[in-house]
Every structure is written in structure tokens, then in C-alpha cells.
Amino acid sequence: SQQGEEDPQALSIQEGENATMNCSYKTSINNLQWYRQNSGRGLVHLILIRSNEREKHSGRLRVTLDTSKKSSSLLITASRAADTASYFCATANAGKSTFGDGTTLTVKP
Amino acid sequence: DTGVSQDPRHKITKRGQNVTFRCDPISEHNRLYWYRQTLGQGPEFLTYFQNEAQLEKSRLLSDRFSAERPKGSFSTLEIQRTEQGDSAMYLCASSPGSGEPGELFFGEGSRLTVL
């Protein structure tokens, strides 16, 4: 089974709204990463947060990490139709990254 | 183009045949990873290399799967005696350095369909 679990599995919002996705994991981590995947394509790295960090920003992205709860959230502000994709969290431990099953985000124009 | 490239992008084969996928990572990257992804699921770890050394292989990977990175540059993933359950997207990723993985750079994947 995968290390991380994203919630919700699917999210549908209107353009301009904010989208929040959550990720829970089971074991200790060195860092947690978020990736985006458009249908039929490879994954693209969005942001990395280390285990000693609590919050990180990159453009319209905000990531939080709570190691005591073993959870992370990804917030996309002012969403656009082009943000429609699947979003995955990945936890790094023992030399490799382990992915969850993702949240499918649909942004309606 | 300095990204990760995978070949072929699509492969259709009959059950029982062998298939081989190739991955060319970003040239200065020491680490190379193989993942498998089925529809609606996240990437599942298969194996990874630090230069030419294969450091870990998933216990989920049967003996029909083998991966090599002979000179620490490109890598191949071979599946012998394919089964319908092998149908999936096979993703390759690379990253620089050693220690805990940072950003992974993914290729566009090789989609396998086993008839």
C-alpha cells in the first residue's frame, strides 16, 4: 500500500476559488513533496517542504506540514482552469519517495 | 532538450512477450527511479539506482522484472513473459546527489498495453 493518502479523492471548484488538498502519511519522513500530473503525462514537481519546516509558499501555492499529526495540506489560491490536474503528495524516506493516490482537481471556467 | 526521456512512449504487446523500456535521465543526475502507475492510482515504486548500483527493488516486483543502469547513465526496464496485469504507465525519474531524495524530474512515461 502507498505511504500517503490524499483527501479528498476528487475536488471540483469554480475558477477563482481556492482549492485545498490534504495528505496523511504513516511513517517518519525527511521531506514531503507535492507533484502535479496532467492526464497521460509525467509528474511535475511543485514544492518540497522539509520535516523541520511548518509552512512554505511558492506563487499561488501554500503548503503546510504537521509532523505531529503526520499530515500536510496544499492550498492553491485563485484557481484557474489550467490548474485542472491530479495532485500527489510524496514522502521521502530511506532514499526513495513514496506517493499517495492523489486528488483529482477540476476547475470549471 | 535536457529533460528525462523515455522510449517507447507506447507499447502494445501480446501476453507472454518480453518488453524493454529505456530511460535517459538528466545527464548530471546520479539517481534514477522507476515507478509504475495504473489508472486512478499514484506512482508505485519499483526500483532505484545510485549511479550504476541498484540500491533497492520493491518486494512487489516479481522476478519477471529486471532493471539495469550499466554505466550509470541510461537505464532499461525489462519485463519478461508479460501478463495482462502488467498493463500500466511506467515512469522514470531522476534526481541529483545522494541522501534523501529532493525534487524528482519525471519523464513522460512509457504506456504498456498487454493484450
Side-chain angles (χ1 to χ4, degrees), chain A residues 29-93:
Chain A
I29 62 171
N30 295 99
N31 66 61
L32 186 144
Q33 301 162 50
W34 285 91
Y35 289 81
R36 164 195 170 124
Q37 184 179 36
N38 287 86
S39 181
R41 307 294 298 274
L43 283 77
V44 175
H45 183 266
L46 295 176
I47 195 166
L48 179 152
I49 186 165
R50 301 191 188 287
S51 59
N52 60 353
E53 296 176 313
R54 292 297 168 258
E55 187 172 315
K56 204 161 183 180
H57 297 255
S58 176
R60 294 184 295 114
L61 306 180
R62 173 179 170 253
V63 168
T64 63
L65 178 63
D66 187 335
T67 53
S68 66
K69 295 182 179 178
K70 291 186 169 57
S71 68
S72 173
S73 68
L74 171 67
L75 169 67
I76 303 174
T77 60
S79 64
R80 306 165 182 168
D83 293 329
T84 294
S86 293
Y87 292 82
F88 297 91
C89 69
T91 51
N93 189 22

Side-chain angles (χ1 to χ4, degrees), chain A residues 1-2 30-31 33 35 37 40-45 48 88 92-102, chain B residues 9 31 33 35 37 40-45 48 56 89 91 99-104 106-109 111:
Chain A
S1 63
Q2 302 286 56
N30 295 99
N31 66 61
Q33 301 162 50
Y35 289 81
Q37 184 179 36
R41 307 294 298 274
L43 283 77
V44 175
H45 183 266
L48 179 152
F88 297 91
N93 189 22
K96 66 180 186 288
S97 291
T98 305
F99 289 80
D101 285 335
Chain B
R9 291 291 312 279
R31 287 226 171 145
Y33 300 82
Y35 287 85
Q37 186 179 29
Q41 305 292 313
E44 177 185 28
F45 171 79
Y48 84 98
E56 187 173 342
M89 175 79 88
L91 294 163
E100 293 308 322
E103 176 180 355
L104 297 182
F106 280 86
E108 293 292 346
R111 181 170 295 283

Side-chain angles (χ1 to χ4, degrees), chain B residues 41-99:
Chain B
Q41 305 292 313
E44 177 185 28
F45 171 79
L46 295 180
T47 188
Y48 84 98
F49 295 83
Q50 176 76 35
N51 298 313
E52 66 275 9
Q54 188 173 19
L55 296 188
E56 187 173 342
K57 184 176 177 180
S58 170
R59 288 171 292 177
L60 301 174
L61 215 57
S62 77
D63 291 342
R64 297 184 297 106
F65 288 72
S66 63
E68 293 182 343
R69 195 183 183 196
K71 296 181 180 179
S73 55
F74 74 92
S75 176
T76 57
L77 176 69
E78 181 183 18
I79 309 173
Q80 296 181 327
R81 304 181 303 282
T82 53
E83 302 172 355
Q84 287 184 328
D86 297 332
S87 294
M89 175 79 88
Y90 290 84
L91 294 163
C92 176
S94 69
S95 69
S98 58

